[in-house]
Amino acid sequence: MAIHSHIGVLAFPFGTHAAPLLTLVRRLATDSSSRGITFSFFNTAKSNSAIFSGQEFDNIKVYDVWDGTHEGEAFTGGNILEAMQLFLSATPGNFEKVMKEAEVESGMKISCLLSDAFLWFTCDLAEGRGIPWVSFWTAASCSLSAHMYTDQIWSLMRSTGAAKTEEKTLSFVPGMTSAHLSDLPGEILSNNLESPLTLMIYKMVQKLPKSTAVVVNSFEEIDPIITNDLKSKFQNFLNIGPSILSSPTLSNGDSGQECLLWLEKQRHASVIYISFGTVTTPQPTEMAALAEALETSEFPFLWSLRDNAMKLLPEGFLERTSKFGMIVSWAPQLKVLENPSVGAFITHCGWNSILESISYGVPMICRPFFGDQNLNSKMVEDVWKIGVRLEGGVFTKNGTIEALHSIMLNETGKAIRENINKLKQKAQNAVKFDGTSTKNFKALLELIKSPRGI
Ligand code: U2F
């Protein structure tokens, strides 16, 4: 079959951004009505190797883009923010270079650009080529909405003064009227356009209304008011998730078998699963408090903890908890959350983790750290009522034990479990044949197939 559409995909190579974009691209590439579409996936070598793990897919050609480090020199020192800054300073030239290569190799001009929404300059690249730009927001609708109201929030902050920040609610943001300014992402609160991350997101806010479609890995029914409001702001606002319920995920091979076997031996809904995602490790004092709470409460636990953080555990912790706890450096999280023995998830509230928890009906204990996570935790506790936040917002021994008891032993936990199971059902309905997410996905396919995106 002749190829008639060539989609250029631009990934943001940090946190869990590129993996869900690849999941979306794989779903688009394998849909029966996508014959004749080819995808060129542009991402840094490091991120490509992590998300593809050596696997190849029909219709998806992978290209490495320059990560901004000096040629031939990998980024070694520094933190993720520095790596992001280097990468951003190499954009958009690094992407334009591989886009041209992909066009020469395929013999076909790119007819549509699909990018991580963070990469706002894709709007200009698409305009310059006279082709549509589809943007993918990898977090929840609530944080996207908060960013879209940045100017109004900043003027509220100016009129209120920093001291009153805690008290002011977002009364003018549909669907988030109970959220406080203090729940907002740091990039909004800092109001500092000199920070590269804040500037990137602020520019994104200016460009997104020009995007042919803004796509999110979520489902309309979780935030109907926010969804309607964002539909009025964008040309097309398409909730196409939860992708884990609708798309094949990349197999991890046999990795994590040991903890899955361990889970099989545990009682129904008895295990606490703990993970802080791909970027964060709590401070030493909080690590110690969490460990003490786990040891004292004696709930069985499975903790995904990077090797370099093991040293933060109290001395003798592993031995003392070996009868009821297990620590692994990486867990097959989807399979863990799917396992009926898991009763609660202590999470940093990254959007993928929340969506996975909802998809498998596991109540959450929230310890957010940065970006969208605080607002996500607010929604979890106060709007969706599917989890609790820690008292004081950080791990203390007593606060953590209290949160564990309320989820695992009390009536609060029972109600939360019922709520999350109802939300899980809505998520499952959204991805059924006639569900909202399925319809939106089909609309997305039509948009990218048509050369002008209309
Ligand atoms: C950034 O999020 P993170 O990468 O820190 O966290 P998540 O969005 O929750 O994604 C973590 C993913 O890694 C998987 C897990 C999720 O799909 O299943 N995982 C695993 O398989 N095994 C493990 O042991 C640990 C994790 C950012 F920090 C957040 O604030 C944003 O919401 C997010 C999306 O933009 O990106």
Side-chain angles (χ1 to χ4, degrees), residues 102-301:
E103 289 182 323
V104 171
E105 267 185 43
S106 66
M108 204 189 165
K109 286 268 174 218
I110 291 173
S111 53
C112 174
L113 290 176
L114 164 60
S115 82
D116 191 301
F118 274 3
L119 305 177
W120 56 270
F121 52 80
T122 315
C123 178
D124 303 339
L125 298 181
E127 256 176 21
R129 290 163 173 260
I131 58 176
W133 168 42
V134 172
S135 50
F136 180 50
W137 174 251
T138 57
S141 300
C142 56
S143 51
L144 176 58
S145 174
H147 287 298
M148 295 311 293
Y149 281 90
T150 299
D151 283 332
Q152 290 92 319
I153 293 169
W154 282 351
S155 73
L156 174 69
M157 282 163 63
R158 276 192 297 272
S159 67
T160 319
K164 296 258 170 78
T165 301
E166 295 285 320
E167 297 159 28
K168 282 284 167 190
T169 54
L170 298 177
S171 54
F172 50 91
V173 183
M176 276 194 282
T177 48
S178 70
H180 290 84
L181 282 178
S182 53
D183 293 315
L184 288 171
E187 290 73 35
I188 301 179
L189 283 181
S190 71
N191 187 359
N192 170 17
L193 287 175
E194 289 188 3
S195 140
L197 204 56
T198 306
L199 183 64
M200 176 182 75
I201 296 177
Y202 191 67
K203 286 194 172 167
M204 174 199 82
V205 168
Q206 321 297 312
K207 299 287 184 182
L208 280 185
K210 290 187 171 190
S211 180
T212 303
V214 177
V215 179
V216 288
N217 179 17
S218 186
F219 52 106
E220 296 187 356
E221 292 75 7
I222 191 173
D223 291 313
I225 301 175
I226 297 176
T227 300
N228 279 340
D229 186 47
L230 290 178
K231 279 185 179 173
S232 74
K233 289 189 161 36
F234 301 135
Q235 296 175 35
N236 289 284
F237 179 57
L238 303 173
N239 282 256
I240 49 93
S243 61
I244 47 161
L245 295 180
S246 56
S247 322
T249 45
L250 283 186
S251 142
N252 282 343
D254 282 341
S255 76
Q257 280 308 310
E258 197 194 348
C259 67
L260 296 177
L261 289 173
W262 180 85
L263 282 177
E264 290 305 326
K265 293 188 205 125
Q266 310 303 320
R267 277 185 305 110
H268 182 82
S270 67
V271 175
I272 315 296
Y273 170 60
I274 306 143
S275 161
F276 303 111
T278 60
V279 185
T280 308
T281 304
Q283 290 296 313
T285 46
E286 285 196 67
M287 286 286 290
L290 171 57
E292 282 169 28
L294 291 170
E295 187 175 342
T296 306
S297 60
E298 291 189 351
F299 290 110
F301 68 86

Side-chain angles (χ1 to χ4, degrees), residues 196-454:
L197 204 56
T198 306
L199 183 64
M200 176 182 75
I201 296 177
Y202 191 67
K203 286 194 172 167
M204 174 199 82
V205 168
Q206 321 297 312
K207 299 287 184 182
L208 280 185
K210 290 187 171 190
S211 180
T212 303
V214 177
V215 179
V216 288
N217 179 17
S218 186
F219 52 106
E220 296 187 356
E221 292 75 7
I222 191 173
D223 291 313
I225 301 175
I226 297 176
T227 300
N228 279 340
D229 186 47
L230 290 178
K231 279 185 179 173
S232 74
K233 289 189 161 36
F234 301 135
Q235 296 175 35
N236 289 284
F237 179 57
L238 303 173
N239 282 256
I240 49 93
S243 61
I244 47 161
L245 295 180
S246 56
S247 322
T249 45
L250 283 186
S251 142
N252 282 343
D254 282 341
S255 76
Q257 280 308 310
E258 197 194 348
C259 67
L260 296 177
L261 289 173
W262 180 85
L263 282 177
E264 290 305 326
K265 293 188 205 125
Q266 310 303 320
R267 277 185 305 110
H268 182 82
S270 67
V271 175
I272 315 296
Y273 170 60
I274 306 143
S275 161
F276 303 111
T278 60
V279 185
T280 308
T281 304
Q283 290 296 313
T285 46
E286 285 196 67
M287 286 286 290
L290 171 57
E292 282 169 28
L294 291 170
E295 187 175 342
T296 306
S297 60
E298 291 189 351
F299 290 110
F301 68 86
L302 173 64
W303 192 342
S304 165
L305 185 63
R306 277 180 281 279
D307 289 337
N308 62 3
M310 294 287 279
K311 59 179 181 293
L312 301 175
L313 295 172
E315 220 182 307
F317 173 79
L318 288 180
E319 296 74 50
R320 291 194 301 275
T321 56
S322 62
K323 283 213 169 63
F324 60 95
M326 182 172 205
I327 296 192
V328 290
S329 58
W330 184 256
Q333 185 163 304
L334 295 181
K335 289 188 185 138
V336 168
L337 291 171
E338 194 179 13
N339 194 298
S341 66
V342 176
F345 180 11
I346 299 186
T347 171
H348 68 310
C349 295
W351 180 238
N352 296 291
S353 290
I354 292 186
L355 207 50
E356 290 161 13
S357 222
I358 293 171
S359 299
Y360 296 118
V362 180
M364 282 161 273
I365 295 174
C366 306
R367 171 36 175 129
F369 290 86
F370 65 86
D372 56 330
Q373 298 163 8
N374 206 20
L375 185 58
N376 292 342
S377 75
K378 165 77 183 174
M379 301 296 280
V380 164
E381 184 178 70
D382 284 350
V383 179
W384 305 321
K385 301 187 191 320
I386 54 175
V388 292
R389 299 200 275 190
L390 290 164
E391 204 191 324
V394 295
F395 291 115
T396 58
K397 182 178 171 187
N398 290 341
T400 309
I401 292 176
E402 201 178 299
L404 284 169
H405 283 181
S406 81
I407 291 278
M408 300 298 283
L409 308 174
N410 297 352
E411 283 303 305
T412 322
K414 209 170 149 206
I416 284 176
R417 212 167 290 276
E418 278 169 18
N419 291 339
I420 199 161
N421 279 318
K422 281 185 200 148
L423 202 53
K424 169 183 162 183
Q425 190 57 55
K426 287 184 183 172
Q428 287 174 338
N429 290 343
V431 298
K432 281 188 180 157
F433 180 71
D434 57 351
T436 48
S437 288
T438 307
K439 286 184 186 150
N440 286 333
F441 178 75
K442 286 184 184 151
L444 174 63
L445 251 178
E446 287 312 309
L447 284 174
I448 64 164
K449 267 178 12 187
S450 130
R452 308 275 334 146
I454 39 176

Side-chain angles (χ1 to χ4, degrees), residues 23-58:
T23 303
L24 172 62
V25 169
R26 286 189 61 221
R27 186 174 170 203
L28 290 166
T30 50
D31 192 277
S32 58
S33 67
S34 73
R35 281 194 297 169
I37 308 184
T38 191
F39 294 83
S40 294
F41 196 91
F42 309 123
N43 188 17
T44 60
K46 188 175 171 198
S47 176
N48 271 337
S49 105
I51 62 171
F52 283 92
S53 319
Q55 301 182 71
E56 291 178 9
F57 303 105
D58 286 346

Side-chain angles (χ1 to χ4, degrees), residues 44 46 65-70 73-75 83 86-88 90 94:
T44 60
K46 188 175 171 198
V65 302
W66 181 41
D67 62 3
T69 55
H70 294 298
E73 206 182 87
F75 179 78
L86 275 174
F87 168 75
L88 289 174
N94 54 353

